[in-house]
Amino acid sequence: MSKHNRYKVVILGSGPAGLTAALYASRANLEPLVVEGGSGDDPTDVPGGQLMLTTDVDNYPGFPEGILGPELMEKMREQAARFGTEYASGALREADLSRRPFALTFSEGGVQADTLIVATGARARWLGLPEELEFRTRIGGVSACATCDGFFYKGKDVLVVGGGDTAMEEATFLTKFATKVTVVHRRDVLRASKIMQERAFKNPRIAWLFDSVVEKILGGAGQGVTGAQLRNVKTGARSEVAAGGIFMAIGHEPNTAAFRGKLDMNAEGYLVTREGTTATCVPGVFAAGDVQDSRYRQAVTAAGSGCMAAIDAERFLGEHVTEDWDPGDTEDARPS
């Protein structure tokens, strides 16, 4: 799986957080190993993170003309490799964090890590419609991030699917650009907090379709999304509504299943870090990016926290690992 048995820094995840952490760690001569995820069980779970499924990225600093998501990730990957970052592939199967070096078992083998940076990200929840992935990645017009993509919907009518705080936030934000925002919710009452509901109900650009679910996304290549087929869950009646874009706002799921019972998480499953740092409850384990950020979820904020995690790991190593060691050491050769 990798060149060595043991590494000073192992980084799980190759999105903006993981690759920025790798860049900083490699420039500090820590020779990090980045393990790129992607189990193959989910078409959205790919090495490079969610930006690999994104077309135009116009809000990442330094690219005034914008850049394709996969191209941005490849540039970040090459930059980290230039300073000595090693890459390997494999899905994490087990993580023994009971003592250092940590023992990590992957589908392709195992390694030991003196410090671990978890940057496995989070996945937006989708409806699971057959055509959904195609509209997200190739045809365009379906998104899970109004902050990222709202600008592209100036003067259009759009749909927001969901009924919680996220949906209200997305709908309200989109009214800055869209002519009309229609919230589609499967129930007859919203789950959002009262203050968020009141704000949305007062907005004249927001319309409502309750007791409704999206059954099919309409449109095609060359025209993008043109609307959606809806079904009323109480009457069974089907209808079509015109829209130039659809925003899914039904939540996100952090990729933290392998760390349940081992690292502190909040109620939604996001890793908890010590305020002002990327440190988790286990000394030597750090978390960066969307795996610990349920609020911002932006590529640039993920990259920033990746930088923080690398600096935190470097300082931890300077304070706790003092003996020389051979990267080919066996499992018994553990620092105190």
Side-chain angles (χ1 to χ4, degrees):
M1 169 184 162
S2 56
K3 295 179 181 178
H4 306 297
N5 295 326
R6 181 176 168 188
Y7 292 83
K8 293 177 183 177
V9 181
V10 171
I11 300 166
L12 303 180
S14 55
L19 293 182
T20 304
L23 174 62
Y24 275 78
S26 59
R27 282 178 55 84
N29 294 321
L30 296 178
E31 300 177 327
L33 171 69
V34 171
V35 182
E36 303 177 287
S39 63
D41 301 328
D42 183 343
T44 68
D45 181 17
V46 296
Q50 295 297 294
L51 283 185
M52 294 298 291
L53 302 173
T54 303
T55 52
D56 296 317
V57 178
D58 281 296
N59 57 1
Y60 198 89
F63 298 94
E65 303 301 322
I67 186 171
L68 295 176
E71 184 182 359
L72 174 60
M73 299 318 303
E74 182 58 29
K75 287 181 178 294
M76 294 180 73
R77 192 180 191 279
E78 292 175 357
Q79 188 176 9
R82 174 186 165 203
F83 295 101
T85 294
E86 181 184 337
Y87 294 93
S89 298
L92 181 66
R93 301 305 186 202
E94 179 61 32
D96 181 359
L97 307 182
S98 61
R99 58 174 181 159
R100 291 187 299 112
F102 308 120
L104 306 173
T105 304
F106 299 91
S107 54
E108 303 296 328
V111 296
Q112 297 174 42
D114 283 326
T115 60
L116 175 64
I117 296 176
V118 182
T120 47
R123 297 192 299 266
R125 294 191 179 101
W126 301 92
L127 297 179
L129 300 175
E131 68 277 10
E132 196 169 36
L133 185 62
E134 186 77 6
F135 276 99
R136 288 168 50 200
T137 58
R138 295 180 179 85
I139 297 176
V142 174
S143 172
C145 181
T147 305
C148 309
D149 302 326
F151 180 83
F152 300 111
Y153 295 87
K154 279 188 173 181
K156 295 184 178 182
D157 292 353
V158 301
L159 305 180
V160 172
V161 180
D165 281 355
T166 298
M168 299 305 101
E169 290 173 0
E170 300 275 273
T172 302
F173 179 83
L174 285 167
T175 59
K176 297 178 181 180
F177 309 101
T179 302
K180 178 183 177 183
V181 179
T182 301
V183 176
V184 180
H185 185 44
R186 65 182 302 116
R187 298 180 177 85
D188 56 3
V189 293
L190 299 172
R191 295 180 291 105
S193 59
K194 185 176 181 180
I195 188 170
M196 294 299 295
Q197 291 189 45
E198 290 177 348
R199 186 178 303 168
F201 282 136
K202 290 178 181 178
N203 194 314
R205 287 195 179 185
I206 298 179
W208 308 87
L209 284 173
F210 291 104
D211 299 320
S212 300
V213 294
V214 176
E215 284 198 327
K216 184 178 179 62
I217 300 171
L218 306 176
Q223 56 183 342
V225 168
T226 60
Q229 177 181 292
L230 307 182
R231 176 175 58 85
N232 186 291
V233 297
K234 290 185 176 179
T235 67
R238 287 177 169 81
S239 61
E240 292 186 3
V241 57
I246 301 177
F247 287 81
M248 304 302 177
I250 52 179
H252 288 74
E253 184 176 348
N255 299 317
T256 55
F259 298 102
R260 287 176 188 149
K262 300 174 182 179
L263 296 175
D264 288 347
M265 304 179 187
N266 65 14
E268 288 75 40
Y270 289 86
L271 296 183
V272 174
T273 54
R274 193 167 65 239
E275 186 174 0
T277 78
T278 62
T280 69
C281 62
V282 174
V285 179
F286 306 91
D290 290 5
V291 77
Q292 53 83 50
D293 174 21
S294 61
R295 180 169 184 173
Y296 299 104
R297 295 193 298 266
Q298 300 297 304
V300 68
T301 53
S305 66
C307 162
M308 294 167 59
I311 293 173
D312 286 342
E314 180 186 7
R315 290 175 177 171
F316 180 89
L317 288 168
E319 295 170 358
H320 294 84
V321 179
T322 57
E323 63 180 84
D324 293 332
W325 53 271
D326 182 346
D329 281 344
T330 63
E331 192 170 328
D332 292 333
R334 298 173 180 260
S336 58

